[in-house]
């Protein structure tokens, strides 16, 4: 079978599987919006498929090097559906989904952090575009009642590195706790409290707001122990009422609506890889000024220490 025919058959099978998946999800969660962003602009498709940056992809299109379903396209606004259309650059089929991706979700409360729940509870797979990005998994966990930033990737190495304590990737939480948190409790939280007979690593803690009978704290930690923030607060006498994660390394929750996701791109994606002590999939590890810059940024994000000195 020819390469083009094979690609067409694959795209058709993917489209059918995606349709089935979508129908099942729509039935399971009629309240969730379908957030797929396709059809998408051709330059976005090329950038996401890892062919070139958005700018570079625009140049390829303008230069007449891109075909959609066998027809040369030079119009930058052209839209394509990755699951139905065949895109070629310089006569070669662009493989959709072969480049690792990272997505950020603003997790709602009431959803568990797992891709499958055998007892039928609502899980993050009900929200995430698993048809478009097969192999997507959550990087770490948030409790069922915790909201906010949860990263997903198809890159297992990235997930492992981001969660490994050696890389000290900071996670920032907004915790609304019961009671008026005093200076002593704040300094205990910052210096370390005993959880399971082991002190927590130093944290950055600040009071964001004092309310009637409650305090809103911002807590930055780089460990990822079980129910860590809730247990830290409880240890100093302040039970958590609400918990939201607002940053994971260089990635901020920002104004991403609750229940929505976005694909990380550009500098934000690079910074995330560098914070994990890794090169991005686009950076050749061996050579070039780009890599020297990436190495420098990687060291900077890892706390201005050579990686090998970290414990
Ligand atoms: N700490 C917690 O206690 N819960 C979370 O979901 C995340 C961090």
């Amino acid at each position: 079978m020819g390469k083009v025919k094979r690609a067409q058959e694959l795209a058709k099978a993917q489209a059918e599987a995606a349709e089935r998946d979508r129908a099942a999800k729509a039935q399971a969660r009629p309240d969730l919006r379908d957030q797929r962003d396709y059809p998408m602009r051709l330059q976005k498709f090329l950038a996401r498929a890892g062919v070139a940056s958005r700018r570079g992809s625009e140049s390829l299109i303008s230069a007449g090097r891109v075909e959609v379903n066998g027809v040369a396209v030079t119009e930058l606004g052209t839209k394509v559906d990755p699951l139905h259309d065949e895109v070629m650059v310089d006569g070669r089929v662009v493989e959709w989904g072969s480049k690792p991706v990272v997505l950020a979700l603003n997790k709602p409360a009431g959803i568990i952090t797992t891709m499958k729940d055998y007892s039928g509870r609502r899980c993050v797979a009900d929200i995430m575009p698993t048809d478009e990005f097969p192999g997507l998994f959550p990087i770490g966990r948030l409790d069922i009642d915790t909201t906010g930033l949860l990263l997903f990737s198809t890159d297992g190495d990235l997930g492992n590195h981001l969660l490994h304590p050696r890389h000290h990737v900071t996670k920032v939480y907004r915790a609304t706790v019961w009671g008026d948190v005093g200076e002593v409790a704040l300094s205990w939280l910052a210096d370390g409290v005993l959880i399971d007979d082991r002190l927590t690593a130093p944290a950055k803690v600040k009071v964001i707001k004092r309310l009637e009978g409650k305090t809103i704290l911002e807590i930055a930690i780089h460990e990822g122990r079980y129910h860590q923030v809730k247990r830290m607060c409880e240890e100093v006498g302040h039970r958590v009422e609400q918990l939201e994660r607002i940053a994971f390394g260089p990635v901020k929750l920002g104004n991403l609506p609750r229940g929505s996701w976005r694909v990380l791109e550009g500098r934000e994606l690079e910074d995330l890889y560098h914070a994990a002590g890794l090169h991005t999939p686009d950076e050749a590890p061996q050579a070039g000024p780009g890599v020297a810059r990436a190495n420098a940024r990687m060291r900077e994000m890892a706390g201005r220490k050579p990686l090998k000195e970290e414990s």
Side-chain angles (χ1 to χ4, degrees):
M1 199 189 301
K3 201 170 177 189
V4 171
K5 184 120 181 53
R6 251 198 339 267
Q8 279 168 342
E9 295 214 334
L10 182 67
K12 188 160 170 269
Q14 278 177 334
E16 284 167 2
E19 219 46 69
R20 280 196 301 276
D21 194 31
R22 251 193 309 283
K25 277 183 183 170
Q27 220 170 17
R29 298 293 320 274
D31 54 320
L32 290 176
R33 240 161 9 100
D34 186 345
Q35 286 188 70
R36 279 172 312 142
D37 53 355
Y38 44 79
M40 65 175 69
R41 288 160 75 85
L42 186 51
Q43 54 269 45
K44 184 171 178 179
F45 169 92
L46 293 172
R48 263 203 208 163
V51 173
S53 64
R54 288 242 184 142
R55 279 272 163 71
S57 301
E58 287 174 3
S59 307
L60 289 172
I61 298 166
S62 304
R65 293 168 60 185
V66 182
E67 284 173 41
V68 178
N69 301 324
V71 178
V73 167
T74 50
E75 181 66 51
L76 289 180
T78 302
K79 297 240 173 144
V80 288
D81 183 334
L83 298 184
H84 290 98
D85 296 319
E86 183 192 71
V87 179
M88 285 185 166
V89 175
D90 295 336
R92 296 176 67 178
V93 175
V94 176
E95 306 275 354
W96 178 251
S98 56
K99 188 184 161 198
V101 286
V102 184
L103 278 74
L105 167 72
N106 185 344
K107 179 189 162 303
I111 291 194
I112 56 170
T113 308
T114 155
M115 295 308 272
K116 185 133 196 102
D117 185 66
Y118 293 96
S119 52
R121 288 175 302 174
R122 300 156 88 195
C123 62
V124 288
D126 295 333
I127 312 184
M128 299 308 286
T130 48
D131 53 350
E132 184 180 351
F133 303 110
L136 210 56
F137 64 87
I139 300 177
R141 270 169 195 276
L142 290 178
D143 297 337
I144 187 164
D145 55 348
T146 302
T147 59
L149 183 62
L150 183 60
L151 297 181
F152 289 77
S153 185
T154 52
D155 185 340
D157 230 18
L158 177 69
N160 290 334
H161 274 68
L162 282 172
L163 297 178
H164 197 291
R166 168 159 34 125
H167 297 296
H168 287 197
V169 179
T170 303
K171 276 93 52 180
V172 186
Y173 296 87
R174 274 271 156 100
T176 306
V177 302
W178 292 104
D180 193 7
V181 181
E183 288 308 315
V184 174
L186 287 173
S187 67
W188 279 346
L189 284 173
D191 295 343
V193 294
L194 268 187
I195 293 184
D196 296 334
D197 299 329
R198 192 156 56 87
L199 271 184
T200 55
K204 287 203 174 118
V205 184
K206 58 184 178 198
V207 173
I208 299 298
K209 211 171 190 176
R210 292 192 185 275
L211 308 165
E212 194 61 41
K214 294 180 199 171
T215 310
I216 302 179
L217 300 174
E218 196 170 289
I219 304 178
I221 57 174
H222 62 256
E223 294 174 300
R225 291 161 65 179
Y226 185 61
H227 295 326
Q228 179 158 347
V229 176
K230 290 179 187 165
R231 290 161 86 201
M232 283 170 70
C233 294
E234 214 158 309
E235 277 303 312
V236 300
H238 297 279
R239 206 160 48 77
V240 170
E241 188 211 21
Q242 255 179 35
L243 188 61
E244 179 181 44
R245 182 153 69 194
I246 58 171
F248 192 128
V251 182
K252 309 272 180 286
L253 179 63
N255 52 14
L256 184 65
R258 184 114 338 131
S260 296
W261 52 265
R262 64 187 175 86
V263 179
L264 304 194
E265 290 178 310
R267 180 69 188 261
E268 190 181 35
L269 184 65
E270 281 173 24
D271 285 348
L272 183 67
Y273 268 88
H274 297 166
L278 291 170
H279 291 284
T280 69
D282 294 336
E283 286 161 354
Q286 307 89 336
V291 173
R293 271 198 305 277
N295 282 338
R297 211 156 59 228
M298 212 153 87
R299 280 195 297 275
E300 188 186 305
M301 302 215 59
R304 287 167 199 82
K305 279 188 264 169
L307 290 178
K308 63 180 182 324
E309 280 183 15
E310 295 183 9
S311 60

